[in-house]
Amino acid sequence: MPNTKTPTQKMGVFQCPYFSRFSLCIQKECEKENYQAVFLQASHITNQVLKDYTKQLAFMGACGIVVCGFEEQSLASDTRRELSECRLPIVFIERTADCYGFDRVLVDSEMGTQMAAKYLLEKGHRHLLYISQSGKTKVENARLERLHRAVRGWKQEKFCSSFSLKEASDMVRRVLEEDKDITEILAGNDIYAIGAVMAVLEKGRRVPEEIEIIGYDDILAGNLSPALSSVKMPIEEMAAYALEIIIMKNTKRQKMVARTVTLEPKLVIRSSR
C-alpha cells in the first residue's frame, strides 16, 4: 500500500509498441486522480521481464501495475507466484495470455478483423493481402482465425518479424510484383499499413483507387495523405478502466475477485475507391 501522506501515488505501467498512445492516455488518467505514472519499457515483455519489473516496481512503492504487451503464450507458474506475492493490484491490457486470476482489460480485436473483412466483401474486393506479425500471440492467432472464417479463397498472408516500416514495405513490394490482382491490403497495425502505402505508390499504383489499405489501432492512419481507414482500438477507455481497477483495489479493504472488462473496436472508414 502507498504512503497516504505522499501527495501523489506511483503506478507502474509496462509499455509496448502496440500501445504507443496508451502511455499518454494512462498518464492523463493518472493526473486526473493525483497519481503518478512510472513507465518501464522493454523490447519484449516476457515472463522474466515481468518478474524483474514487478520486483522493481514493488521496491519503488508502486500502488499498482498495468502490464501492456505481454508477448508469451502463457504466464509461467513462477511468474504467477511472483505477481501474486507482491500484493499489488495488477491489470493486464489486451494481450493477456492465460492470466486468469488477475484483472484484465480486453478488446474484442477479432471483431475488428471481421468488420474489416465484411467491409471489403461488401465493396466487392476479391483479392486480399493480409500482413501481420510473426511469432503470433493469442491475439494475432484469434484475428487470423476470424479472417479465415470471413474470407475464403482470395487471400495471401505475410508475416513480419518486427514492427518495421521497411520490412513491411519490402514485403508488400515483393508480393505486388508477383501478384498484380491484389486490390486490398489489410494490415495488422498502422505501421504495416504505412509500409504498404509506400510500396503501392512505389509500384506506380494509386491508393485507394487501385489498392485500398486498412490499418489497425488507428494511431497513425488518419494523419496520412490520403488518410487510411483503420480499426480503431478504444485506447482511452482501456486506460480509464485500468486505472479504475487499480483505484478500486486500493480503496476497498476486503479482498476482491479478479475483474475482466471487454471493450469493442470500431472500423473507421476514411478513404475508399
Side-chain angles (χ1 to χ4, degrees):
M1 294 293 292
N3 185 342
T4 55
K5 296 182 179 179
T6 304
T8 59
Q9 303 180 75
K10 297 180 180 180
M11 181 176 65
V13 180
F14 295 116
Q15 188 179 32
C16 73
Y18 278 118
F19 295 96
S20 58
R21 185 180 293 173
F22 183 81
S23 58
L24 176 61
C25 292
I26 198 81
Q27 183 174 348
K28 288 181 178 180
E29 292 297 324
C30 285
E31 289 174 352
K32 294 178 185 177
E33 302 293 338
N34 201 31
Y35 277 68
Q36 177 185 354
V38 178
F39 297 94
L40 299 182
Q41 303 182 42
S43 56
H44 299 284
I45 306 297
T46 63
N47 276 281
Q48 187 60 53
V49 169
L50 194 51
K51 288 191 297 181
D52 293 343
Y53 280 9
T54 297
K55 292 178 181 178
Q56 184 175 346
L57 289 166
F59 179 78
M60 293 168 60
C63 64
I65 299 173
V66 177
V67 184
C68 179
F70 182 60
E71 295 182 1
E72 298 206 41
Q73 294 290 343
S74 62
L75 191 66
S77 58
D78 57 336
T79 305
R80 178 179 296 278
R81 184 171 57 254
E82 186 73 44
L83 269 57
S84 298
E85 291 178 353
C86 79
R87 299 186 180 280
L88 294 175
I90 297 176
V91 182
F92 283 83
I93 300 295
E94 191 197 9
R95 299 169 187 275
T96 61
D98 59 350
C99 302
Y100 55 87
F102 294 97
D103 296 290
R104 305 180 300 170
V105 177
L106 308 180
V107 180
D108 189 352
S109 57
E110 308 99 284
M111 178 187 291
T113 301
Q114 183 176 1
M115 289 188 296
K118 180 181 178 182
Y119 164 77
L120 298 176
L121 287 169
E122 292 175 347
K123 290 293 299 291
H125 289 286
R126 290 297 179 270
H127 210 77
L128 167 75
L129 170 61
Y130 178 67
I131 312 172
S132 185
Q133 185 185 15
S134 60
K136 301 179 292 297
T137 65
K138 291 184 178 180
V139 170
E140 277 76 28
N141 284 331
R143 290 182 186 177
L144 190 58
E145 181 181 348
R146 187 69 66 91
L147 180 65
H148 285 170
R149 293 204 301 266
V151 178
R152 299 181 183 276
W154 52 279
K155 62 182 177 300
Q156 280 203 48
E157 298 164 6
K158 297 294 181 180
F159 302 100
C160 296
S161 61
S162 64
F163 290 91
S164 168
L165 188 69
K166 184 179 186 304
E167 183 180 1
S169 180
D170 291 344
M171 179 178 292
V172 172
R173 185 173 61 253
R174 290 193 298 270
V175 173
L176 292 178
E177 291 171 353
E178 299 170 358
D179 188 348
K180 301 185 184 302
D181 293 328
I182 289 174
T183 61
E184 171 60 32
I185 298 174
L186 177 57
N189 56 65
D190 281 358
I191 294 176
Y192 293 167
I194 295 173
V197 171
M198 294 168 58
V200 170
L201 296 180
E202 184 179 320
K203 300 304 293 183
R205 302 178 70 175
R206 296 175 297 167
V207 179
E209 291 83 0
E210 295 180 73
I211 297 182
E212 192 163 358
I213 299 173
I214 297 181
Y216 211 105
D217 295 339
D218 199 36
I219 296 173
L220 304 171
N223 298 321
L224 303 178
S225 182
L228 298 181
S229 301
S230 186
V231 177
K232 182 178 180 61
M233 296 288 277
I235 297 178
E236 291 82 2
E237 292 87 344
M238 293 160 65
Y241 275 112
L243 183 58
E244 177 184 302
I245 292 172
I246 296 291
I247 294 175
M248 186 181 304
K249 288 291 179 73
N250 276 304
T251 54
K252 299 288 184 180
R253 292 185 178 181
Q254 71 273 23
K255 185 176 181 180
M256 302 179 65
V257 298
R259 178 183 178 188
T260 296
V261 176
T262 303
L263 304 173
E264 294 183 358
K266 177 183 178 182
L267 178 61
V268 179
I269 302 298
R270 294 190 175 93
S271 59
S272 61
R273 64 178 194 173

